[in-house]
Amino acid sequence: MKICIFGAGAIGGYMGAKLAEAGAEVSLVARGRHLAAMQEKGLTLIEGGETKTFSVHASEDPAELGVQDYVIITLKAHSVPAAVGTMQPLMGPETTIVSGVNGVPWWYFHKLGGRLEGTRLATVDPGNIQWDGFGPERVLGCVVYPAAEVIAPGIVQHVEGNRFSLGEPDGTKSERAIALSKALTAAGLRAPVRPRLRDEIWVKLWGNLSFNPISALTHATLDVLCTDPGTREVARKMMLEAQKIAESLGVKFPVDVERRIDGAAAVGPHRTSMLQDLEAGRPMEIDALLSAVQELGRLTKIPTPNIDTVLALVQLRGRVAGLYT
Ligand SMILES: NC(=O)C1=CN([C@@H]2O[C@H](COP(=O)(O)OP(=O)(O)OC[C@H]3O[C@@H](n4cnc5c(N)ncnc54)[C@H](OP(=O)(O)O)[C@@H]3O)[C@@H](O)[C@H]2O)C=CC1
Ligand SMILES: CC(C)(CO)C(=O)C(=O)O
């Protein structure tokens, strides 16, 4: 089974190192100093107090890697459209694309059924670049739970978690999903195949759409923003708006908002990924986490006044910092 991880930074590097350790046929697409370091010295993973270095096949040129069985995309959401053309040499008629990207996925309305079946989302797939360039039938959904960081070129620090939930857009337990799940499980990762992946997408998104922008606007860590009465209330209101939208699309939430916020508060003094990006001067992942939820609100005719307000503020924050256009 040929697996290519496209955008092998923190999450892709973590997954790639685990697959390499298990002897899988895996290649990594990366760029810049991180790629050069992996090519020269291998990929180092720091996990659970242990440091291991793996020799990996890393390249910037997909043509060199050829057609794959699975292409696992672990880019930031805003980087994917520009990379669709570059990825074409990796794709043959049977290639599955695994979308390991946070936020509302561009394929959300593929095989969902209902009046919005087949709707494309301009905020995450401007110009339908992914819909037309990949084809939604190739997609296997994925919710990424681990936390990881590239702490130096070629070196990935695993922070916590090892679950990558997988799910077909139509909820079936397909052969391709089961085969990938087995490969990831053999690499020491948890990879359940879920019949209702969209439920998990929303539970994760609940946090990202509220905690991430609030942290970017206030520079507060997760424990602080979830317990400060004012910001907790902002997060709660945003999450309730999102819940209405999701439920109108058939999603079932297994927990309530208060429990979700309490769970995040218990994580402790974590700087959300959006705050980390802002502080490091990296482009901010705003559209997949917030603008897309606003777009879903418009499509379902559900008002989103709190999401609209926070989105406007964080968009301007990003623009002023030169990290969002
Ligand atoms: N990190 C985490 O703890 C978590 C991340 N996620 C989600 O997972 C996804 C991936 O995040 P993460 O791993 O942190 O992101 P990273 O930025 O660490 O990894 C993406 C990598 O892809 C590289 N890249 C971008 N464009 C190209 C290209 N065209 N060709 C080759 N390489 C390219 C980037 O290089 P460059 O740096 O030069 O741009 C970077 O090294 C995001 O959606 C994120 O929200 C979810 C849960 C936790
Ligand atoms: C905030 C958190 C931990 C969960 O919502 C997250 O996923 C992020 O930092 O992006």
Side-chain angles (χ1 to χ4, degrees):
M1 177 194 290
K2 284 183 83 174
I3 302 176
C4 174
I5 299 179
F6 197 104
I11 293 299
Y14 169 58
M15 191 192 255
K18 300 297 283 182
L19 285 166
E21 182 173 29
E25 196 180 344
V26 62
S27 56
L28 310 180
V29 178
R31 65 185 181 188
R33 288 170 59 215
H34 181 52
L35 170 65
M38 289 195 285
Q39 287 172 328
E40 280 160 31
K41 299 183 230 153
L43 168 59
T44 297
L45 175 65
I46 306 172
E47 186 186 24
E50 271 192 282
T51 301
K52 292 181 186 169
T53 299
F54 306 99
S55 163
V56 286
H57 188 176
S59 174
E60 192 167 13
D61 179 11
E64 191 197 300
L65 306 173
V67 170
Q68 304 288 315
D69 297 306
Y70 294 89
V71 176
I72 303 181
I73 300 176
T74 52
L75 294 165
K76 292 283 176 102
H78 46 255
S79 304
V80 187
V84 172
T86 325
M87 284 185 219
Q88 295 304 320
L90 302 170
M91 279 180 255
E94 303 298 328
T95 304
T96 296
I97 292 187
V98 183
S99 180
V101 177
N102 265 356
V104 178
W106 60 271
W107 52 266
Y108 194 88
F109 289 106
H110 174 60
K111 298 269 176 80
L112 179 63
R115 79 171 172 91
L116 292 171
E117 173 62 39
T119 300
R120 292 124 195 253
L121 294 168
T123 47
V124 281
D125 192 18
N128 303 321
I129 292 173
Q130 295 169 87
W131 194 288
D132 296 340
F134 294 143
E137 61 288 341
R138 283 187 194 278
V139 169
L140 182 60
C142 178
V143 180
V144 174
Y145 291 97
E149 207 176 325
V150 176
I151 56 166
I155 305 179
V156 173
Q157 166 92 59
H158 173 255
V159 180
E160 55 145 11
N162 68 350
R163 177 151 58 104
F164 292 87
S165 290
L166 304 174
E168 286 286 351
D170 67 1
T172 53
K173 225 171 177 174
S174 64
E175 275 179 33
R176 65 182 186 176
I178 293 168
L180 182 64
S181 170
K182 281 187 183 155
L184 295 176
T185 305
L189 302 168
R190 287 164 66 210
V193 180
R194 303 295 201 200
R196 296 180 55 85
L197 192 75
R198 289 179 186 83
D199 293 358
E200 282 195 32
I201 288 175
W202 277 97
V203 173
K204 173 107 212 270
L205 181 59
W206 238 359
N208 289 139
L209 73 89
S210 53
F211 308 146
N212 291 32
I214 293 172
S215 72
L217 291 168
T218 61
H219 291 243
T221 51
L222 210 47
D223 50 346
V224 173
L225 72 90
C226 288
T227 51
D228 173 86
T231 48
R232 183 180 175 106
E233 185 59 10
V234 176
R236 202 178 73 82
K237 285 180 174 158
M238 295 175 80
M239 290 163 85
L240 288 173
E241 290 172 3
Q243 182 171 356
K244 265 198 186 164
I245 296 168
E247 285 176 346
S248 81
L249 295 171
V251 166
K252 292 192 176 84
F253 286 82
V255 293
D256 66 17
V257 165
E258 299 301 338
R259 239 182 98 194
R260 178 71 175 83
I261 302 178
D262 289 342
V267 170
H270 169 71
R271 286 155 61 242
T272 70
S273 54
M274 197 178 279
L275 176 57
Q276 289 180 35
D277 287 342
L278 175 64
E279 290 183 345
R282 295 186 297 247
M284 291 160 76
E285 211 173 20
I286 294 174
D287 288 332
L289 305 189
L290 280 118
S291 314
V293 180
Q294 184 186 61
E295 186 176 2
L296 293 178
R298 304 288 187 266
L299 285 169
T300 54
K301 302 191 175 19
I302 293 171
T304 53
N306 292 283
I307 290 173
D308 296 350
T309 303
V310 173
L311 173 58
L313 293 172
V314 81
Q315 282 177 322
L316 187 55
R317 184 70 193 87
R319 280 192 200 107
V320 168
L323 304 175
Y324 176 78
T325 45

